[in-house]
Amino acid sequence: MQELLRTVFPSTATVNARGHLVVGGCDVVDLSMEFGTPLYVFDEQTLRERCREFLREFQARYRECQVVYACKAFANVALLRLLAEEGLGFDVVSGGELAAVRAAGVDSRLVYLHGNNKSRQELEEAVGWGVGRVVMDNFQELSMLEEVAAEARRVQEVLLRVSPGVDPHTHVHTTTGVLDSKFGFPIATGQAGEAVRLALASRHLRLVGLHFHLGSPIFETGPYREALRITLAFASRMREEGLALGEMNVGGGFAIAYTRDQKPPAVAEYAEAISEELVGQCRSLGLEPPRLTSEPGRAIVGPAGVAVYTVGARKAIPGVRTYVSVDGGMGDNIRPALYDATYEAVVANRAGQPPSERVTIAGKFCESGDILVREAHLPATQPGDLIALPAAGAYCPSMASNYNLAPRPAMVLVGGGSARLIRRRETYQDLLAADVP
Ligand SMILES: *Cc1c(COP(=O)(O)O)cnc(C)c1O
C-alpha cells in the first residue's frame, strides 16, 4: 500500500486508523456515504502542486513561457477556476469547452482554440469572445477564419498546427503528430509551407507561431526534441516567406504513472529536454528564441483524481477467473476498453489489508469489454466494499457517456478534511431532459 500511495495516489492520500483510504483529509468511506458511488474525488493539493510544478520547471529553464491546460482532460467550472487561480491558460477543442472556460470566468486572452474540424459557429464564438489564439488545422479553416475575423472587424492571432512526422511510441489511437494523421499541416508534403504563405497573406489573421502535439501519453523526451528540430528547421526555412516565429507551442502528452511499475519522466525532465532543444536549435539556426507554450492535460488532473466504486456481484468461474462487478465502468471510464489502459485498484474500506486474491474488476455496462482492471490483487471482497482506482482524473469523467442510460457520477473536490461537490450526480430527469416525446 505504501508503494501505491507514493506512486499513483494523490499526494495527500494516506490510510487512517480504521484502515480506510483518506484523500485530502477526507475518509473515502465517509465520502461514499455522503455522496454515493460511483464518485470521483479530486485532491485540491495535488492539482495545485501539479500546476506549480509545470510553471516552476518550465520557467526555471526558459525565459518566456506559458502553461496552458488542455481542458479535454477534464473540464468542470470549479476545477477550471482553481487552475486559473494557479496561473494556467486554457486550451479548448470545442464550443462546449469554450462555454465552460467562459462560465469559469477565465481571461479570454489566455484561451487557445484547437480542433481539426472547427465549425463556423465555433470560430465566431471564439473570435467574438476574443480568444488569444486560434490554432489552425486545415485549409478550409484558414479561409473560414479569415471571413469570420473580417466580419467581426478583428485581427485574430493564430498558430499553425504542423505535423512534424514524429512517432511518440504510444497507442495508435492517441498518436497525432505522424504524417498519416487527421491533425495538422504536414511539413514533409509542403502543405505546412503553403499554410504559412496563406496565413501571412490573410488580412485578418496574424500568424504568431507554430504548434505541434505528438500524442499521449509520451513516456520519452526524445520525440519532443525530434519534433522541435524538424519544426524549427521548417520555421527557419519559412523566414524568407516572412514568418517571424514568436511562439513555439509543443502541445501536451506528458505521461503519468497509472500503475506502480510505470516510470514517466519528471516534469523537470520534459522541461529540460524541451527548453534545451529549443534554445540550442534557435542558436544554431539563428532564430530569435520564441515564447514557449506547453499544453499539459493528463499530467495536471490525472494524478489528482480517484474513482470510487461499490462492489456488487461476484462470479467465480472455476479454473478461469473471478469477476468482481462494481457500480460504474465504461460509462465513466472508457480508457481500458478504448486503449487497453491499465489501473491499480485498492479496497478503500480495508486499505491496510494485504492482497489475498487475483480478480477481474468488471463494470456494470452491457458490454463484455467493460472491464476496469483485468488483473487486480485485492483482499477478499464482499458486496458493499469500496474499490478505489487512482490516477483517474484525466479522460475519465471527460469521456463519460450515458450508455445504458446510466447517470454520470458525482464529483467532489477535497482538501483540508472537507469535501465540496463540484458536479452533482445526474438524475433520470437529466437523462431524459432533451428527449422530445
Ligand atoms: C489532447 C491535447 C493536449 C493534452 O494532452 P495530454 O496528454 O492530456 O497532456 C494538448 N494539446 C492538444 C492540441 C491536444 O489535442
Side-chain angles (χ1 to χ4, degrees), residues 364 404-407 424-434:
K364 68 172 288 161
N404 294 169
L405 285 188
R424 64 164 173 82
R425 184 176 308 285
E426 286 178 339
T427 63
Y428 296 150
Q429 276 108 308
D430 291 330
L431 298 178
L432 301 177

Side-chain angles (χ1 to χ4, degrees), residues 40-57:
Y40 277 79
V41 179
F42 285 86
D43 180 40
E44 177 171 346
Q45 184 176 314
T46 303
L47 286 167
R48 293 192 188 276
E49 283 167 1
R50 298 300 290 170
C51 295
R52 289 172 196 176
E53 188 176 354
F54 267 90
L55 286 167
R56 182 181 69 237
E57 299 301 342

